[in-house]
Amino acid sequence: NAGVMQNPRHLVRRRGQEARLRCSPMKGHSHVYWYRQLPEEGLKFMVYLQKENIIDESGMPKERFSAEFPKEGPSILRIQQVVRGDSAAYFCASSPGPNTEAFFGQGTRLTVV
Amino acid sequence: AQSVTQLGSHVSVSEGALVLLRCNYSSSVPPYLFWYVQYPNQGLQLLLKYTSAATLVKGINGFEAEFKKSETSFHLTKPSAHMSDAAEYFCAVRPRYGNKLVFGAGTILRVKS
């Protein structure tokens, strides 16, 4: 049973470009969470999604950031018009249901130049 | 709102010495508590978790943690440090009926030979 798969592992974007981060949850998991880790900080919750629904987006910046988890395919975290402050590690986690343990992927490290 | 405080952003111990990483939490009701380890450029690996069963929780790699409600603490210990324990450790809290993990800022453990 493969773990949570994130790709790409490393992503470099120029300021103003778009970044798309993908997360394939573990088999049988229908709940996905995105966290952001800024340099020398702990992880901060961004968004919680279930298939085709956003359950909690209280940690998402109001502008430029969006997330989806379609019926088919991976969850996508999209950052439009990236700025240097978006440089961080973005982690995805998945769980089989609410109130259950979440398993983390290895993260995507975004660098904005 | 829940919060986590990890005392000491860096801890240095000698190989074979006791490891003690401190974590205090703030929560209106006893939450679930977790310790994760992150090796450089890797994802988070769950070390152990407290879910209201035994207050002394044993995890992987010889680590354990004790939940002390009166002190709102969940300190991580290991009797004898190995070089391979050098990593960053995160304490996290989650409400019993919820999905959002709140992380501490992390403690980098250095093991000296």
Side-chain angles (χ1 to χ4, degrees):
Chain A
N1 187 11
V4 178
M5 303 301 291
Q6 290 188 248
N7 69 81
R9 290 290 308 278
H10 300 273
L11 181 61
V12 179
R13 284 288 177 265
R14 296 185 185 278
R15 282 178 294 171
Q17 290 185 319
E18 177 180 288
R20 281 184 178 241
L21 288 62
R22 294 174 183 77
C23 170
S24 296
M26 289 178 68
K27 187 177 181 181
H29 288 193
S30 58
H31 296 245
V32 164
Y33 317 83
W34 286 92
Y35 290 81
R36 177 166 65 174
Q37 184 180 28
L38 294 169
E40 300 187 11
E41 293 187 18
L43 280 75
K44 297 285 196 289
F45 169 81
M46 299 181 76
V47 62
Y48 163 37
L49 310 103
Q50 197 179 353
K51 283 284 187 180
E52 299 185 277
N53 288 304
I54 296 175
I55 307 300
D56 180 352
E57 57 180 348
S58 57
M60 286 282 269
K62 299 300 180 192
E63 298 178 346
R64 301 188 297 109
F65 284 71
S66 63
E68 63 177 8
F69 189 18
K71 187 176 180 181
E72 301 291 336
S75 175
I76 306 287
L77 179 67
R78 182 182 177 206
I79 311 172
Q80 295 178 290
Q81 300 175 339
V82 296
V83 301
R84 287 222 171 110
D86 296 332
S87 296
Y90 292 82
F91 289 95
C92 170
S94 73
S95 69
N99 308 318
T100 57
E101 182 182 338
F103 294 82
F104 282 82
Q106 292 197 304
T108 293
R109 280 153 182 84
L110 172 66
T111 302
V112 179
V113 297
Chain B
Q2 297 182 317
S3 66
V4 175
T5 301
Q6 291 185 240
L7 296 174
S9 58
H10 292 77
V11 170
S12 183
V13 300
S14 297
E15 193 172 19
L18 171 72
V19 175
L20 170 61
L21 305 182
R22 298 177 189 275
C23 172
N24 287 89
Y25 69 91
S26 172
S27 178
S28 55
V29 295
Y32 289 167
L33 293 155
F34 305 80
W35 275 100
Y36 288 88
V37 61
Q38 184 181 31
Y39 297 99
N41 296 316
Q42 297 294 316
L44 274 70
Q45 181 181 7
L46 181 66
L47 275 178
L48 49 79
K49 59 183 177 182
Y50 167 76
T51 57
S52 75
T55 56
L56 181 62
V57 182
K58 294 188 184 298
I60 62 172
N61 301 338
F63 284 93
E64 62 182 37
E66 186 172 8
F67 171 69
K68 291 187 177 181
K69 183 179 178 181
S70 61
E71 299 177 8
T72 61
S73 68
F74 191 56
H75 301 329
L76 182 71
T77 60
K78 182 174 181 177
S80 176
H82 295 166
M83 297 298 290
S84 60
D85 294 327
E88 188 161 19
Y89 292 79
F90 292 95
C91 181
V93 63
R94 197 201 85 194
R96 293 190 178 192
Y97 299 101
N99 301 278
K100 187 189 313 183
L101 285 164
V102 175
F103 286 86
T107 298
I108 295 174
L109 175 65
R110 179 184 168 221
V111 181
K112 299 176 290 185
S113 58

